[in-house]
Amino acid sequence: MAFRRASTAPKSHPNHARWGDAQELLELATGQKMNAELAIVGGGPTGLGASIIAALAGFHPVVFEPKEGIIDKACGEGLMPAGLDHLLRMGVNPKGREFVGIRYLDGISGRGPEGRFGSPGRGVRRLELHRALLERAQELGVKFVHAKVQDLEQSANQVTLVTTAGSWNAKHVIAADGLHSRIRRKLGIESKTPKFKRYGVRRHYQLEPWSDFVEVYWIDGAEAYVTPVSDSCVGIAMLFEPRSDFDELLAQFPALQDKILDAPFASQDQGAGPFEQRLPRHSQGRVLLCGDAAGYLDPLTGEGIAMGLASAQAAVECIVADDVLGYDDAYKRVTAPYYRNATNLLAFTRSRTMQRVMLSALRLPHLFDGILGQVAK
């Protein structure tokens, strides 16, 4: 389904009732349930993206998010070309710094191959990404309810959300409430126990980027992802197992540590994980899971935002087509490249052949460009 450009809130989709502010005030006064065409639980990038996609499709979505304002979170902050293109088509153009590809480096020697994308990606602070998405959603007339969803019940025709701001009825719900989704637990959709528990921690340095690439430094059991996010700031995200802190990890990457020296911090450390969440299904009844709430493997490919937006697009398309039963198949179709890429890269990072692979890629740069091209799509 193609996006429709819109600078103001579009007309209501013909298959859905519109509920105005006057009715909501009446329902609040009488204690009755309030109503939403489409409820979106979670106001992070996937939830906001879903609200924008839905508004452009003719819905009047309501986003439920307990936190107000711009929300920060641990994130690698590198938008791959596919994710950036998706945002631009939504009318979202976050500020940042472009990068031309990825450079994989040995964390000790600093040697390794690089690959260029066909079109650039962009390093974007998570705060800037959230701001740009929030402003676009507000421009399209998306309604926000700053409340926590405590419970939900489903019938044949609607979903009732019990929130700290009262009860709401919605014909459909998109749950985009993150890696450890409360809605997913309420639905009884359990994640399989992961074989490996990987964690992440992110820090920014006030430092002019030394490269137009995202640099990935590798050692046994951990990687460090360096992303230029402005002309005076770089973000470093560590992925590792088992648990550790940022400074302990950084000391194991002398090739990276030498480039940072005594640069001042530009943010506090933010952590996340464990990441792997493999689910048997991605919807139940009229509730569709999107983004990290729908399952995740690992952030090492940098495709998290692209995958979240792609799943949100698929969810809205299924709702428009009145085919929510088809969402599981649609989700698997749009996320298959991510799971394939992440599985392959994880296999490399956990094998003793990783260094030999990197050295071989130095001799075969065109082959490495082809591999990275699959990640960038």
Side-chain angles (χ1 to χ4, degrees):
M1 181 182 72
F3 291 118
R4 285 191 327 198
R5 299 285 183 180
S7 58
T8 58
K11 295 180 180 180
S12 181
H13 191 278
N15 292 333
H16 298 263
R18 180 175 181 178
W19 304 90
D21 292 338
Q23 181 180 353
E24 290 172 12
L25 290 173
L26 175 63
E27 289 166 341
L28 280 172
T30 60
Q32 297 177 359
K33 292 184 177 67
M34 292 169 284
N35 296 275
E37 288 185 298
L38 171 62
I40 298 172
V41 182
T46 297
L48 291 175
S51 76
I52 294 166
I53 293 166
L56 291 171
F59 291 89
H60 289 78
V62 179
V63 175
F64 294 84
E65 168 55 55
K67 297 179 181 178
E68 296 189 46
I70 309 301
I71 303 170
D72 200 7
K73 185 181 175 184
C75 181
E77 300 183 325
L79 292 175
M80 289 296 187
L84 179 58
D85 180 65
H86 208 140
L87 286 169
L88 295 174
R89 288 187 285 116
M90 291 163 54
V92 179
N93 189 11
K95 298 176 183 177
R97 177 171 167 131
E98 289 189 345
F99 56 84
V100 298
I102 300 180
R103 183 175 286 148
Y104 280 89
L105 304 169
D106 177 80
I108 309 300
S109 68
R111 296 187 64 203
E114 65 183 41
R116 292 178 177 268
F117 301 144
S119 59
R122 187 180 299 176
V124 177
R125 284 289 298 264
R126 179 61 174 249
L127 292 169
E128 167 59 21
L129 176 62
H130 195 276
R131 181 202 63 77
L133 285 163
L134 182 60
E135 288 182 357
R136 180 58 170 154
Q138 291 171 336
E139 178 185 314
L140 292 170
V142 172
K143 179 179 178 61
F144 290 84
V145 176
H146 294 295
K148 180 181 291 186
V149 176
Q150 299 172 311
D151 205 351
L152 80 165
E153 297 178 357
Q154 293 198 66
S155 67
N157 300 315
Q158 67 182 18
V159 184
T160 298
L161 297 176
V162 180
T163 83
T164 51
S167 294
W168 290 70
N169 288 331
K171 190 170 183 181
H172 297 98
V173 172
I174 290 177
D177 55 336
L179 193 63
H180 307 292
S181 168
R182 183 184 183 92
I183 297 298
R184 188 177 71 215
R185 292 198 303 271
K186 291 290 183 181
L187 294 174
I189 302 176
E190 299 291 340
S191 170
K192 297 178 182 178
T193 302
K195 290 183 179 179
F196 305 94
K197 289 189 176 182
R198 294 248 292 175
Y199 298 85
V201 61
R202 181 218 65 192
R203 178 187 292 176
H204 294 94
Y205 287 89
Q206 188 176 327
L207 180 68
E208 181 180 354
W210 59 84
S211 173
D212 289 328
F213 287 78
V214 169
E215 292 189 340
V216 182
Y217 292 80
W218 176 85
I219 60 172
D220 283 341
E223 307 99 54
Y225 295 75
V226 182
T227 305
V229 294
S230 77
D231 291 339
S232 59
C233 185
V234 297
I236 300 179
M238 301 282 191
L239 298 181
F240 53 92
E241 54 175 318
R243 287 181 180 272
S244 186
D245 68 28
F246 192 96
D247 291 309
E248 288 176 352
L249 289 164
L250 183 60
Q252 300 179 56
F253 294 90
L256 172 59
Q257 194 173 36
D258 288 346
K259 294 179 179 177
I260 298 171
L261 298 177
D262 296 322
F265 298 174
S267 70
Q268 295 183 337
D269 294 359
Q270 291 260 6
F275 294 111
E276 186 174 335
Q277 307 283 330
R278 292 180 182 266
L279 306 183
R281 61 186 187 277
H282 310 93
S283 65
Q284 182 172 300
R286 294 179 172 271
V287 182
L288 288 68
L289 304 174
C290 288
D292 294 354
Y296 199 52
L297 186 53
D298 199 271
L300 81 173
T301 69
E303 297 173 279
I305 296 298
M307 189 175 73
L309 296 176
S311 63
Q313 176 75 40
V316 172
E317 289 179 356
C318 287
I319 292 171
V320 168
D322 197 22
D323 182 26
V324 293
L325 293 178
Y327 175 64
D328 271 348
D329 287 340
Y331 175 86
K332 291 174 184 176
R333 183 175 62 255
V334 299
T335 61
Y338 158 75
Y339 279 101
R340 182 174 60 250
N341 293 333
T343 299
N344 291 339
L345 281 175
L346 278 172
F348 275 130
T349 62
R350 289 172 179 153
S351 73
R352 295 292 181 182
T353 62
M354 180 64 175
Q355 191 165 16
R356 291 198 297 272
V357 169
M358 290 198 297
L359 292 174
S360 296
L362 284 171
R363 297 189 292 270
L364 300 168
H366 297 300
L367 176 61
F368 195 67
D369 279 346
I371 295 171
L372 284 183
Q374 294 301 312
V375 174
K377 286 182 179 178

